[in-house]
Amino acid sequence: VPFRPPLMENPQTSGGQPVPMAGEMFVLSRRGLAFTASSGSRKFQAGGQLFLSPLRIVFVAEESSGSGLLGTLFGASKANVLAFDLPLATLERESFNQPIFGANNLTGVSPPLPGSACDGADIHWCLSFQDGGVGTFLPIFFGLLAEMRSRLEAERSGAAGAAAGGSTEVPTAFAVAVPETAVAEVVRAAYVDPSDPTKLYVEAAGPRARRGGHSFRE
């Protein structure tokens, strides 16, 4: 049985998909990924898919990752995590890398949430794209990340003003919501890469439209 630590290393899933938090809307999913992460002496790795919302990246391991290329990388004996949560609000040092040898990958650093099994050590993670291009995924990811950071800055400015008046409330990793209209604008601006197998849940035409009839939200 794969190791399944608590909190951000164990987001709630159902049927191979993350369970949306209140008001959360997943924008896309992407299969064919290899996930690795380290935090101090702890190591995590598995093959599977990611789901992206305006709040977080959620990696979910697939049972079928024991076969094919992902199986070669992370067979049943090597995979040791079922799911992993990476909040956009606390994500740092993100980088898209195109090595001469090996798959294109997205790397970054995330501080553990309070109470995490990672014991206070930063989480250095890597998502490797083993199948297809990234021309659709990347602009949506970086667009949502920019939206989150812009709204966090506005929240911090408001919190600083409130603190001067006696309030000390600080935004948390999941406290800042990106409106559906802003999400639709990010999707609209993205390039449709025919080599990118990313599956969209939000159409550029508007926040209410869903490709294939999907409505992946809480």
Side-chain angles (χ1 to χ4, degrees):
V1 177
F3 174 63
R4 191 169 189 173
L7 298 178
M8 67 189 297
E9 304 92 300
N10 183 23
Q12 186 178 1
T13 62
S14 177
Q17 297 181 340
V19 175
M21 295 182 291
E24 184 178 23
M25 172 182 61
F26 281 94
V27 176
L28 60 81
S29 63
R30 172 65 186 262
R31 293 185 180 273
L33 281 93
F35 172 77
T36 59
S38 63
S39 174
S41 62
R42 292 183 177 272
K43 310 292 182 184
F44 307 94
Q45 58 185 24
Q49 62 179 319
L50 70 75
F51 296 82
L52 177 66
S53 84
L55 293 175
R56 55 181 174 153
I57 297 172
V58 184
F59 171 80
V60 179
E62 293 180 332
E63 292 182 6
S64 59
S65 65
S67 61
L69 177 58
L70 291 177
T72 302
L73 292 171
F74 305 120
S77 63
K78 297 180 180 179
N80 67 348
V81 65
L82 295 182
F84 211 97
D85 215 342
L86 301 168
L88 298 189
T90 57
L91 192 153
E92 301 174 350
R93 287 180 268 170
E94 68 282 352
S95 175
F96 176 66
N97 312 293
Q98 296 178 289
I100 297 176
F101 301 103
N104 293 341
N105 60 80
L106 184 67
T107 58
V109 178
S110 297
L113 297 178
S116 169
C118 291
D119 300 325
D122 283 347
I123 300 161
H124 295 256
W125 52 266
C126 176
L127 289 161
S128 297
F129 300 88
Q130 303 293 325
D131 181 20
V134 292
T136 300
F137 170 80
L138 281 182
I140 295 177
F141 166 71
F142 283 112
L144 291 178
L145 185 60
E147 282 286 341
M148 169 60 76
R149 287 175 173 168
S150 174
R151 294 174 191 283
L152 272 174
E153 184 60 34
E155 288 284 336
R156 290 191 182 102
S157 297
S167 173
T168 58
E169 184 176 353
V170 177
T172 65
F174 299 116
V176 179
V178 176
E180 289 189 2
T181 51
V183 173
E185 285 296 328
V186 169
V187 174
R188 184 177 296 115
Y191 167 69
V192 178
D193 180 358
S195 72
D196 186 335
T198 291
K199 181 178 182 180
L200 296 177
Y201 298 106
V202 176
E203 291 283 9
R208 296 293 180 186
R210 302 288 187 271
R211 180 168 299 174
H214 292 286
S215 181
F216 190 11
R217 65 172 301 161
E218 177 61 37

